[in-house]
Every structure is written in structure tokens, then in C-alpha cells.
């Protein structure tokens, strides 16, 4: 038996289930409907504004739009939030950032959703560590610890792809953790840069 797909019912059930982001396959499993009906419903009600298409085969309910940290983790995987976004959250850089920045082992990518940019910078697999599941403003997300976010940032500075912020606030940074993470990248210029800013 298949479920009758009415917009109000779909929206109510997704919200009640606390499902904020879903794929067509996940939608099909929730509502036990055939793929053709899933495709029709998603296309129609994205067009009518009930749903938001985040990217190909990834959707969200517009009335309960997910937090940017949740979107970042689901949009491109594997990934965790880091770099300027995390440094701003921790107060290591004083500026407010307007891009949601993440680290990945996949190729570098950027997505723009409702005017907000989500960027993903690639690092070596052996350096893909130093993150955990955190509660960020009431939302669960994979997030770099403070020292790893700093080292990820310094890595791209050492490559010449970012400019070093001269207003870094390093008072609560653990120097030993910074040096440990820096060595994972196997890049002497990064280790030297990390030691220099901690001196």
C-alpha cells in the first residue's frame, strides 16, 4: 500500500520526523511510494516553493530550512566544517564570515544555496582528522577543533592560496596540538609557519 502524497501531509511528517535534508531514495522509504511518484512530487513542489533543491538529488523543506552547518555536512561528503568559518565561531579571527567553509578529501568544490556560498577545500587523507560531532547553535555537525581549524587555515596560507590574517587571537590555542596537526600534512613550510605564529 502506498501513501497518498499531499503537500501538507508530506511537510507535516517530515517536520515531525525532524528530517531537514533528504534524498529521493530517503523520501521514497519514508512515504513508501514508487520512484516515478517521488520524482513528480519533488519536481512539482520544488517549483511551487514547498521544497528547496540543495543540489542534484538533495532536498530540504523550505518552512523548516536546515541550519547552514547541517547543509554543509550533507552537501558534500566526506567533509567537516573548518577554516575561517570555524575560526570565526571560536573567536580566533574577529571577523564575521559570509562563506561556510569546510575541509574534504574530495576535489575542491563550491555550491551557492539561497545566496550563501559553501566551499570545500581538499587536503591529504592522512591530515583528515581533528574534528568531532558538535552542537552548533542547537544543530549537530562535524566541526574541526580549534587547533585543527587553525592548521587547516595555515595550510592554505602556506600554499599561497589564502592570506594570513594579522589579527589572529591565539590566547586559548594549544601549541602542542597545533604542532601535532601541522606535522600531519608533511609540509615543512606549514610547520615553520605554525611555529612562527605561536612564538
Amino acid at each position: 500500500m502506498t501513501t497518498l502524497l499531499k503537500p501538507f501531509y508530506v511537510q507535516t511528517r517530515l517536520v515531525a520526523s525532524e528530517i531537514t535534508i533528504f534524498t529521493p531514495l530517503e523520501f521514497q522509504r519514508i512515504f513508501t511510494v514508487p520512484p516515478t511518484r517521488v520524482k513528480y512530487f519533488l519536481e512539482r513542489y520544488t517549483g511551487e516553493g514547498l521544497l528547496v533543491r540543495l543540489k542534484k538529488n538533495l532536498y530540504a523543506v523550505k518552512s523548516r530550512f536546515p541550519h547552514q552547518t547541517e547543509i554543509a555536512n550533507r552537501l558534500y561528503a566526506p567533509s567537516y566544517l573548518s577554516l575561517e568559518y570555524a575560526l570565526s565561531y571560536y573567536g580566533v579571527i574577529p571577523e564575521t564570515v559570509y562563506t561556510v567553509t569546510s575541509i574534504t578529501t574530495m576535489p575542491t568544490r563550491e555550491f551557492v544555496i539561497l545566496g550563501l556560498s559553501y566551499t570545500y577545500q581538499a587536503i591529504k587523507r592522512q591530515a583528515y582528522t581533528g574534528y568531532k560531532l558538535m552542537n552548533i547553535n542547537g544543530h549537530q555537525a562535524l566541526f574541526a577543533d580549534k587547533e585543527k581549524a587553525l592548521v587547516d587555515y595555515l595550510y592554505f596560507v602556506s600554499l599561497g592560496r589564502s592570506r594570513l590574517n594579522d589579527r589572529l587571537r591565539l590566547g586559548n590555542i594549544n601549541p602542542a596540538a597545533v604542532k601535532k596537526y601541522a606535522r600531519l600534512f608533511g609540509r615543512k613550510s606549514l610547520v615553520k609557519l605554525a611555529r612562527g605564529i605561536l612564538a
Side-chain angles (χ1 to χ4, degrees):
M1 180 178 177
T2 60
T3 305
L4 185 62
L5 287 182
K6 294 291 186 180
F8 180 75
Y9 168 73
V10 168
Q11 178 174 296
T12 301
R13 181 157 178 195
L14 288 173
V15 169
S17 302
E18 298 186 350
I19 295 170
T20 58
I21 301 173
F22 57 89
T23 66
L25 183 58
E26 289 167 339
F27 186 94
Q28 182 183 349
R29 288 173 178 163
I30 293 165
F31 295 102
T32 61
V33 292
T36 52
R37 290 186 62 196
V38 171
K39 185 174 185 294
Y40 172 78
F41 185 93
L42 295 180
E43 288 180 356
R44 176 177 176 181
Y45 290 103
T46 297
E48 293 187 11
L50 175 71
L51 305 173
V52 175
R53 182 179 179 270
L54 303 177
K55 69 170 186 177
K56 184 178 180 180
N57 292 328
L58 196 65
Y59 296 83
V61 180
K62 191 170 185 179
S63 65
R64 192 174 180 271
F65 199 67
H67 191 263
Q68 55 197 218
T69 56
E70 296 178 274
I71 293 174
N73 278 184
R74 283 294 303 269
L75 201 54
Y76 200 53
S79 67
Y80 62 88
L81 288 141
S82 187
L83 305 164
E84 291 89 346
Y85 187 87
L87 293 177
S88 178
Y89 173 80
Y90 288 124
V92 176
I93 59 174
E95 296 86 3
T96 300
V97 296
Y98 299 99
T99 297
V100 183
T101 55
S102 295
I103 288 294
T104 184
T105 55
M106 302 283 282
T108 295
R109 288 289 303 274
E110 180 180 12
F111 302 87
V112 178
I113 298 169
L114 301 182
L116 183 62
S117 175
Y118 294 78
T119 64
Y120 298 81
Q121 299 291 336
I123 64 171
K124 298 173 181 179
R125 200 169 292 274
Q126 67 264 26
Y128 190 84
T129 187
Y131 61 92
K132 60 192 172 189
L133 190 64
M134 289 177 53
N135 188 310
I136 307 296
N137 301 319
H139 304 276
Q140 295 289 312
L142 294 175
F143 210 90
D145 30 278
K146 191 186 307 180
E147 290 78 13
K148 185 53 163 50
L150 176 62
V151 172
D152 288 341
Y153 167 75
L154 293 176
Y155 172 65
F156 292 101
V157 172
S158 77
L159 292 176
R161 289 166 51 184
S162 289
R163 183 180 58 83
L164 183 63
N165 189 316
D166 59 6
R167 296 197 294 162
L168 293 175
R169 297 169 175 170
L170 304 175
N172 294 319
I173 290 290
N174 180 333
V178 170
K179 292 171 185 175
K180 178 190 75 172
Y181 286 134
R183 287 193 293 268
L184 295 176
F185 287 82
R187 185 175 176 81
K188 290 181 180 179
S189 61
L190 171 59
V191 174
K192 182 178 179 181
L193 177 60
R195 286 175 178 162
I197 70 162
L198 292 170

